[in-house]
Amino acid sequence: MVNKYILGIETTAHTFGIGIVKDGKVLANVKDSYTTEKGGIIPSEAAKHHEKVAGELYKKALETAGINENEIDAIALSNAPGLAPCLLAGLRFTKQLAGKLHLPVVPVNHCIAHLEIGRLTGAKDPVLLYASGANTQIIAYASGKYRVFGETLDLGIGNFIDTFARYAGLGFPGGPKIMELARGGKYIDIGYSIKGMDVAFSGILTKLRQMLESGTYKLEDLSYSLQETAFAMLVEAAERALAHTGKRELLLGGGVACNKRLQEMCRIMCEERGAKMFCPENQFLVDNAGMIGYLGEIMFDKNIFEKNIEKLDINPRERTDDVKVLWKSE
Ligand code: ATP
Ligand code: FE2
């Protein structure tokens, strides 16, 4: 199927995004994120934010792609997983638009979209290290499904880093600031927590907080040690997943994958085991609707969509392996 315009909509958490995709090319990828001083999310407030910015961003996306709304052939909505109020804001916007323009809707799983967008970088069958604010998972395709091989048992890596940064008075988001501070730091032992392919960060966070409050350590050293430790855990888990699945490609996804040190550590691990690392550009690492439209197009091409928009619903707790992957041929 060529020459179809797919409109992607992303509203699962902080970010409201609209993407426009045609023939595997992302023609527009605009977004606006709800943020607070503290960085915590109040889902109902985020949903209000999404409703407020939706109309403007929709117009902006059409302008960027240089198309008229009547040229859209289908809508792809990320309806799972995520925060219910945020997902509902996306669902309402989608139903309205699909009703007005008489369009089919493709329901897209957010986590799987992070993986599929990796095709843009040339990855064909990768292990995904998905490292974002709320999520930390290692996902790969096996026996007809995308499966979670490992994940965090408590905090997401981004929330872990951002929380430490907040304790240190660095504001939100802390990830980029910690990355800069870490450049001048030295290593201190702060513990290490991995079981199989699962990781945990809350114990390390407590330790870091105590060290920070003791006033005897430099913030540069704590930042460096945080990154070296947390990223080594992720790299170790990812390496195990590569070994376990026999795959030879590692793909990065999620906002924390913007971190240069994490990218470097992943690259070194891959080189050492003869695997290849793929890292999409930052606009496709963070939450975005380009990836939703991109996977939406692949699914629509295989006739996977909902014709009756009344049946369309959200699925806040959908698990990655709940999704029937009908668009992939083995
Ligand atoms: P999800 O719903 O997928 O969990 P999210 O809204 O929590 O998404 P993303 O938009 O994928 O998250 O990423 C946000 C996170 O990325 C924040 O924790 C932020 O600190 C982190 N981040 C962004 N840039 C960098 C960077 N250069 N280094 C480290 N972390 C970064
Ligand atoms: Fe995400």
Side-chain angles (χ1 to χ4, degrees), residues 127-131 137-138 157 227-228 230-240 242 248-254 256-280 285:
V127 166
L128 170 72
L129 171 57
Y130 174 26
Q137 295 187 329
I138 291 163
I157 175 87
Q227 283 199 171
E228 294 305 299
F231 295 166
M233 285 158 51
L234 297 185
V235 170
E236 183 178 334
E239 181 167 26
R240 269 192 205 147
L242 285 169
R248 309 185 70 84
E249 297 177 344
L250 178 69
L251 173 69
L252 302 191
V256 180
C258 297
N259 188 296
K260 298 285 176 226
R261 179 61 181 144
L262 177 59
Q263 292 176 9
E264 181 183 31
M265 288 168 74
C266 288
R267 190 170 296 117
I268 293 168
M269 181 272 282
C270 285
E271 273 167 19
E272 282 175 357
R273 56 176 297 118
K276 213 168 159 197
M277 189 193 88
F278 297 87
C279 187
L285 285 175

Side-chain angles (χ1 to χ4, degrees), residues 156-168:
I157 175 87
N159 288 350
F160 159 64
I161 298 175
D162 292 339
T163 305
F164 173 73
R166 208 181 315 139
Y167 292 155

Side-chain angles (χ1 to χ4, degrees), residues 42-316:
I42 305 160
S44 59
E45 292 296 315
K48 277 189 210 152
H49 161 269
H50 296 347
E51 264 153 19
K52 206 173 86 200
V53 302
E56 270 310 301
L57 281 176
Y58 174 60
K59 267 195 237 151
K60 195 169 156 192
L62 290 170
E63 262 170 42
T64 309
I67 65 164
N68 177 292
E69 67 176 2
N70 295 315
E71 294 178 75
I72 303 168
D73 295 284
I75 298 176
L77 168 71
S78 183
N79 69 329
L83 303 166
C86 299
L87 290 165
L88 283 171
L91 183 70
R92 278 193 294 270
F93 182 75
T94 301
K95 281 191 171 175
Q96 225 176 12
L97 196 62
K100 178 177 139 197
L101 301 173
H102 308 289
L103 294 175
V105 176
V106 186
V108 169
N109 176 288
H110 176 93
C111 306
I112 295 178
H114 272 291
L115 193 145
E116 294 281 6
I117 193 69
R119 293 190 197 197
L120 273 186
T121 63
K124 294 198 170 55
D125 182 24
V127 166
L128 170 72
L129 171 57
Y130 174 26
S132 71
N135 290 296
T136 303
Q137 295 187 329
I138 291 163
I139 302 171
Y141 187 74
S143 322
K145 283 183 170 177
Y146 284 104
R147 295 175 195 275
V148 177
F149 285 89
E151 62 192 321
T152 177
L153 301 173
D154 45 41
L155 295 170
I157 175 87
N159 288 350
F160 159 64
I161 298 175
D162 292 339
T163 305
F164 173 73
R166 208 181 315 139
Y167 292 155
L170 296 173
F172 177 83
K177 290 171 189 152
I178 296 289
M179 181 170 81
E180 290 310 318
L181 281 165
R183 287 186 207 281
K186 287 196 298 290
Y187 180 76
I188 309 164
D189 185 6
I190 53 170
Y192 192 83
S193 178
I194 178 164
K195 279 200 191 92
M197 288 175 254
D198 291 331
V199 294
F201 297 112
S202 64
I204 299 173
L205 180 60
T206 305
K207 176 115 195 231
L208 279 167
R209 184 179 199 170
Q210 286 164 353
M211 291 167 89
L212 186 69
E213 286 171 356
S214 77
T216 46
Y217 298 95
K218 283 205 250 167
L219 189 52
E220 284 82 356
D221 294 346
L222 294 178
S223 301
Y224 178 79
S225 307
L226 176 157
Q227 283 199 171
E228 294 305 299
T229 304
F231 295 166
M233 285 158 51
L234 297 185
V235 170
E236 183 178 334
E239 181 167 26
R240 269 192 205 147
L242 285 169
H244 180 81
T245 57
K247 296 190 195 288
R248 309 185 70 84
E249 297 177 344
L250 178 69
L251 173 69
L252 302 191
V256 180
C258 297
N259 188 296
K260 298 285 176 226
R261 179 61 181 144
L262 177 59
Q263 292 176 9
E264 181 183 31
M265 288 168 74
C266 288
R267 190 170 296 117
I268 293 168
M269 181 272 282
C270 285
E271 273 167 19
E272 282 175 357
R273 56 176 297 118
K276 213 168 159 197
M277 189 193 88
F278 297 87
C279 187
E281 43 181 302
N282 285 3
Q283 63 162 326
F284 298 122
L285 285 175
V286 297
D287 280 354
N288 70 93
M291 68 180 186
I292 306 303
Y294 186 86
L295 174 52
E297 184 183 45
I298 293 170
M299 293 170 69
F300 190 59
D301 193 36
K302 299 274 191 233
N303 285 314
I304 308 163
F305 57 85
E306 184 58 70
K307 266 188 229 143
N308 180 359
I309 52 171
E310 287 315 310
K311 279 204 205 151
L312 203 67
D313 206 354
I314 60 165
N315 198 346

